[in-house]
Amino acid sequence: MSSTANAAAAAQSASFSNPPSPPARRLNGVQRVAALLLSLGKTSSQKLLQHFDQEEIRMITVSAAQLGTVASEELDRLAEEFIEQFSHGTTLYGSANEVEKMLEGILPDDQLSDIMSDVLGNSNRSIWDRLTTVSETVFANYLLKEHPQTAALILTKIKPAAAAKVLGQVNGETRNQLVRRMLSIKAVVPEIMRDVEKTMHEDFMLNLSGTLEADSHARMADILNKMDREHMEDALDNLNVVKPKTAELLKGLLFTFDDVINLNARTRMAIFDQIPTDRIVLALKGTNAQFREVILSSLTSRARRIAEHELAAGEPAAQRDVLDARSAITNLALEMAGRGEIELNPKQDDGAFFA
């Protein structure tokens, strides 16, 4: 029997045997065969696949399409078991497109189409479907770092409802640009599409736990921002005792009414242009003169005169109304930042009012 046939027989035997219980992360029999074939490349894998029947090829194909990333350590273990030359194996990526490319020319078109229909139902669609579980805020921030054409392509691949939510997280100019690009998307070269799928798989599917953790902190910060100041501080103080690092991270994500004065003048004006003057007056009740001046300097001349007149009158206000007014202002600022209309950061373009 030739060396190729021996390798094929060894691979086939490994794929359908019951080896001793492997470590938790090790691949099972069929997955090991799939990883081996993908790492061999098209020419060598074609020679081996000729020794399998259609049902075996179906099993290997489905497993390979769902394989995802295989660490070099796992390939090293496979190398020791199958071929000595694999001792320096590298990371590989199994996808439906890679499998289809590998099978081209081996099977008749009708058999290949039949097998790939099963594979696509379990692989490619699942990648894009699973992306819809990612927070639209996290997804939008990710796409904003990509080239607009790449972002548009990705948005055409996910479910319409998910794409709509993501588009709702970006500013109007960016949203309109993405919509125009999405309308003009043409057929994409398979190699490029495979690269996009691989990147999305690695950035989201493999790192999903980290993404979800970051998203959970952002959501918790949003909840804390909407709590009464007293309750928020109490929650943070308690958390600081139990999980100081988490508390510090959340503090960096919070934005309160007191932080408004740290924004630059342009940002403050954008916020207060949308706030009724009577609500601004309520929010300023109980603040010191220096704080008031920062806010009043962000108003139009007419709004400032009205606000100064109301504040000078000294009309009392319920503490609850004051807190509600302040909360409304911070919530608007957070919403505007979420839409990309403003940035909530301490950078000043007009000099800091407070240290």
Side-chain angles (χ1 to χ4, degrees):
M1 184 180 291
S2 67
S3 59
T4 300
N6 284 332
Q12 186 174 18
S13 173
S15 65
F16 300 107
S17 61
N18 294 313
S21 299
R25 184 58 189 92
R26 292 200 61 180
L27 304 176
N28 63 32
V30 180
Q31 290 173 329
R32 291 161 66 199
V33 174
L36 174 64
L37 291 172
L38 286 171
S39 63
L40 286 176
K42 182 174 181 177
T43 301
S44 298
S45 62
Q46 284 180 343
K47 294 178 180 179
L48 288 173
L49 283 169
Q50 291 173 357
H51 297 273
F52 297 131
D53 61 35
Q54 184 174 347
E55 184 56 32
E56 291 170 344
I57 292 175
R58 184 186 298 274
M59 293 174 63
I60 294 169
T61 301
V62 172
S63 179
Q66 298 176 337
L67 193 59
T69 299
V70 178
S72 60
E73 292 82 0
E74 183 65 19
L75 284 180
D76 287 341
R77 286 192 288 268
L78 284 173
E80 293 173 1
E81 296 178 38
F82 292 109
I83 302 175
E84 185 177 354
Q85 289 93 316
F86 274 82
S87 60
H88 298 293
T90 57
T91 296
L92 62 84
Y93 178 75
S95 69
N97 286 321
E98 292 295 334
V99 174
E100 185 173 16
K101 183 179 179 181
M102 180 178 68
L103 293 177
E104 286 176 352
I106 300 177
L107 300 176
D109 290 343
D110 58 341
Q111 290 185 16
L112 177 59
S113 177
D114 184 35
I115 290 177
M116 291 309 299
S117 65
D118 287 348
V119 173
L120 291 172
N122 293 302
S123 178
N124 275 2
R125 270 204 297 265
S126 65
I127 291 175
W128 298 109
D129 285 348
R130 280 181 289 169
L131 286 173
T132 62
T133 65
V134 178
S135 159
E136 57 268 21
T137 303
V138 172
F139 210 153
N141 289 334
Y142 175 88
L143 293 182
L144 288 174
K145 298 175 184 177
E146 298 292 323
H147 187 280
Q149 191 69 12
T150 302
L153 172 62
I154 292 170
L155 287 170
T156 63
K157 290 295 181 180
I158 63 176
K159 290 182 178 180
K165 290 181 180 179
V166 173
L167 287 170
Q169 296 297 311
V170 300
N171 62 56
E173 182 179 353
T174 302
R175 180 168 56 252
N176 292 335
Q177 181 188 23
L178 289 173
V179 169
R180 290 194 300 270
R181 288 178 178 270
M182 290 168 70
L183 287 170
S184 62
I185 290 289
K186 306 296 183 184
V188 180
V189 177
E191 287 75 12
I192 294 178
M193 199 65 245
R194 283 196 291 269
D195 288 340
V196 173
E197 290 173 358
K198 178 182 178 181
T199 300
M200 299 305 291
H201 177 86
E202 292 175 346
D203 288 352
F204 285 99
M205 297 304 102
L206 298 185
N207 302 320
L208 186 59
S209 59
T211 299
L212 291 176
E213 181 180 357
D215 189 39
S216 68
H217 285 100
R219 289 182 182 275
M220 191 65 243
D222 189 35
I223 292 172
L224 290 170
N225 271 318
K226 292 177 171 56
M227 294 171 62
D228 290 341
R229 183 62 181 263
E230 181 182 350
H231 296 164
M232 178 186 72
E233 292 178 347
D234 181 62
L236 284 174
D237 288 342
N238 180 266
L239 190 62
N240 192 53
V241 175
V242 182
K243 294 183 176 181
K245 290 184 178 180
T246 301
E248 190 64 27
L249 177 60
L250 285 173
K251 288 178 182 178
L253 296 172
L254 293 176
F255 180 80
T256 67
F257 182 68
D258 292 342
D259 295 320
V260 172
I261 60 173
N262 294 321
L263 302 175
N264 60 51
R266 186 181 298 105
T267 301
R268 289 197 304 271
M269 290 177 66
I271 295 172
F272 286 103
D273 277 349
Q274 302 184 45
I275 303 292
T277 306
D278 59 343
R279 182 168 293 173
I280 297 174
V281 171
L282 274 174
L284 290 176
K285 295 282 187 178
T287 58
N288 60 49
Q290 194 174 16
F291 187 98
R292 288 187 183 185
E293 178 56 33
V294 175
I295 304 303
L296 292 174
S297 67
S298 306
L299 308 183
T300 63
S301 298
R302 180 175 180 278
R304 175 167 184 156
R305 287 196 302 273
I306 295 174
E308 287 177 333
H309 177 76
E310 295 286 341
L311 290 169
E315 292 291 334
Q319 184 66 11
R320 167 54 57 186
D321 292 338
V322 172
L323 294 176
D324 286 346
R326 294 177 180 177
S327 178
I329 294 172
T330 55
N331 287 343
L332 174 63
L334 290 166
E335 290 171 6
M336 293 175 68
R339 294 193 296 266
E341 297 172 4
I342 61 173
E343 291 185 12
L344 301 181
N345 58 60
K347 295 178 181 179
Q348 293 283 342
D349 61 4
D350 54 348
F353 285 90
F354 293 91

